[in-house]
């Protein structure tokens, strides 16, 4: 029914990164192992679930036996990763933001791609890509009852996802190869997100507000 | 597959009003332009998305290229609207509540209508209409991490939507014309909502609690 | 299309318990009758809605004319139930937690069962069962803007649902009768949840944190 251009393994990797980011968010709030794993699963699968439900295609997060274990694995890897990064708060912040940005970037591209396969109009493809990109983190933040950072002034989540989705849509419409388009679009999202973040980190004040 | 009684342009208008109400809610909390537009899109499309996902019909908010731009436009119009209304807090409150009530009313009717087209039992039609009516504002409030006003004592959101949905259902079952039924039902919702609101505003105390 | 092993009346009963638990949660926060009934409907139907939307099967909460009235009835029964239980805070806590646990248990089993009927892989069946189990309470808590208790350290919601779902899945795969499997699995969930809760209640401190 839907022959996706982007292969399964990319979904698996994206879910894994989302799981890691979700687990890190849970750790930062001092959740125990159950909370960490639950948020890993939600943060990992949230974007993929939202995407497929919105597009009304089979929910890959459930029909494939690979996605849930990948999110779980992300949750289990958070402890060794934190050990690796070390106790410095700054390095942890960088690690968290980078993982979050990678998850954001991959889901944005995967969401745009699948929306294109379904044949939605351009603006809807970019919308679904953006929702898939920010969705996992959004659901995660809502469930732990925090105001999602995505709405705070100066946070470049949505603003990082949108140009990436547009870039992917344009490149694919021009029939550039899938992998090239995906790598460039992922690069766009990560670049915008990380430069905005490091800028924020320098100015400092607003993050604590 | 689904021949809706209510035409596309009404969906477009309802989404626009929802977008305006969402953008106003964002402005009140001091969000920047990105937050305003994001909440406009969510507040505008939320009800339509929830409705179509619940009914498992094609998601018009995505398949039609008109609904997203309409929500966006609502978000862009908020600045000129606020300039028009002027700086008085009371007039802004009236404008916000009225827009919110119009969005509530239109979505309630549209949701009931589409549920009837799908052939759901009466109680489900009223339920879907009510969820579609309050859904956009509910998702919006959850995302900005506020307790939705809908649950606060004395707020007549749900109580305004339900009689409107029932009225529309009864009139359509009696085979009154679509437009007459819609106008009456929208009138019911707006009347209940606005009179309850102005009453609350007079008694005053509870709103601040 | 989908010949469910578990009959409709079980869904109706589960929704009723969920409705009662939702209404109790609303009462505890001092909501008025509208808020109580709204939360009863959401707490009652939430799990069933989430389950069917995730599985992309017809949404029984809407197609059946029995589920919504059942949730409503649960909401209406909360006042007589509270009168019956009496004013003692401890007895009310027990009543609330027990109802919540029964709703959790029944939805977990029903969710696992329906996921098996759809033919999902084992891990997804357990996931859908768990999400259906905790979903109603989760949506309820998110809507009233509380951090869901499910994530708090030491709360055995998810940890109670998962073994119940696994037990049901294993027993059904071994072709044990539906009713036996369901009763055992429901027993597992309630036992784990209630013993963890009473333990928490003894240690006391963490609940208030």
């Amino acid at each position: 029914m839907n022959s996706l251009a982007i292969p399964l393994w990319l979904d698996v990797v994206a879910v894994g990164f989302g799981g890691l980011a979700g687990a890190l968010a849970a750790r930062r709030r001092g959740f125990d192992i159950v909370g960490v794993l639950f948020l890993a699963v939600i943060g990992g699968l949230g974007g993929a679930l939202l995407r497929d439900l919105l597009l009304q295609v089979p929910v890959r997060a459930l029909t494939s036996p690979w996605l849930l274990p990948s999110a779980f694995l992300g949750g289990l890897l958070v402890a060794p990763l934190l050990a690796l990064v070390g106790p410095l708060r700054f390095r942890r912040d960088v690690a968290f933001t980078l993982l979050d940005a990678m998850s954001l970037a991959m889901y944005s591209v995967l969401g745009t791609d699948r929306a294109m396969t379904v044949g939605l109009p351009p603006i809807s493809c970019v919308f679904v890509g953006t929702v898939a990109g920010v969705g996992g983190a959004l659901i995660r933040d809502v469930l732990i009852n925090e105001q999602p950072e995505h709405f705070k002034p100066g946070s470049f989540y949505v603003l990082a996802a949108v140009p990436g989705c547009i870039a992917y849509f344009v490149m694919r419409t021009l029939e550039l190869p899938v992998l090239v388009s995906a790598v460039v679009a992922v690069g766009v999202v990560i670049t915008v997100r990380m430069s905005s973040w490091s800028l924020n980190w320098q100015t400092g004040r607003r993050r604590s507000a």
Side-chain angles (χ1 to χ4, degrees), chain A:
Chain A
M1 172 180 169
N2 55 329
S3 60
L4 297 174
I6 287 190
L8 177 63
W9 66 265
L10 244 168
D11 245 350
V12 173
V13 172
V15 165
F17 277 109
L20 254 175
L24 267 170
R27 281 291 294 261
R28 288 180 149 203
R29 279 147 194 106
F31 287 5
D32 62 359
I33 181 71
V34 182
V36 167
L37 287 180
F38 200 51
L39 275 196
V41 168
I42 284 168
L45 294 185
L49 279 175
L50 264 185
R51 178 193 68 197
D52 293 348
L53 289 176
L54 281 178
L55 297 179
Q56 297 174 313
V57 297
V59 178
R60 210 187 229 181
L62 299 176
T63 55
S64 156
W66 294 103
L67 266 58
L68 251 162
S70 174
F72 232 77
L73 189 67
L76 291 176
L77 285 181
V78 72
L81 179 83
L82 283 177
L84 200 77
V85 168
L88 278 175
R89 190 181 157 73
F90 169 64
R91 286 175 65 184
R92 296 196 163 205
D93 278 359
V94 172
F96 174 71
T97 310
L98 194 57
L99 277 169
D100 217 38
M102 291 181 74
S103 158
L104 172 72
M106 295 175 93
Y107 271 129
S108 302
V109 170
L110 286 167
T112 311
D113 184 76
R114 198 167 286 199
M116 291 177 74
T117 337
V118 174
L120 292 186
I123 191 172
S124 299
C125 291
V126 172
F127 177 73
V128 171
T130 306
V131 168
V134 303
L138 219 59
I139 299 179
R140 183 190 74 201
D141 288 354
V142 163
L143 283 180
I144 58 182
N145 201 18
E146 292 206 355
Q147 181 170 338
E149 217 185 320
H150 307 69
F151 299 114
K152 289 181 192 159
S155 118
F156 274 61
Y157 272 92
V158 176
L159 273 192
V162 169
C165 296
I166 293 177
Y168 187 79
F169 183 88
V170 170
M171 284 187 289
R172 290 296 292 144
T173 306
L174 298 175
E175 296 186 14
L176 285 173
V178 173
L179 214 62
V180 174
S181 314
V183 168
V184 171
V186 164
V188 167
V189 178
I190 294 183
T191 307
V192 176
R193 172 74 191 126
M194 291 313 286
S195 29
S196 84
W197 179 75
S198 58
L199 196 76
N200 265 1
W201 169 72
Q202 284 173 341
T203 55
R205 184 134 307 184
R206 205 157 41 188
R207 286 190 75 79
S208 62

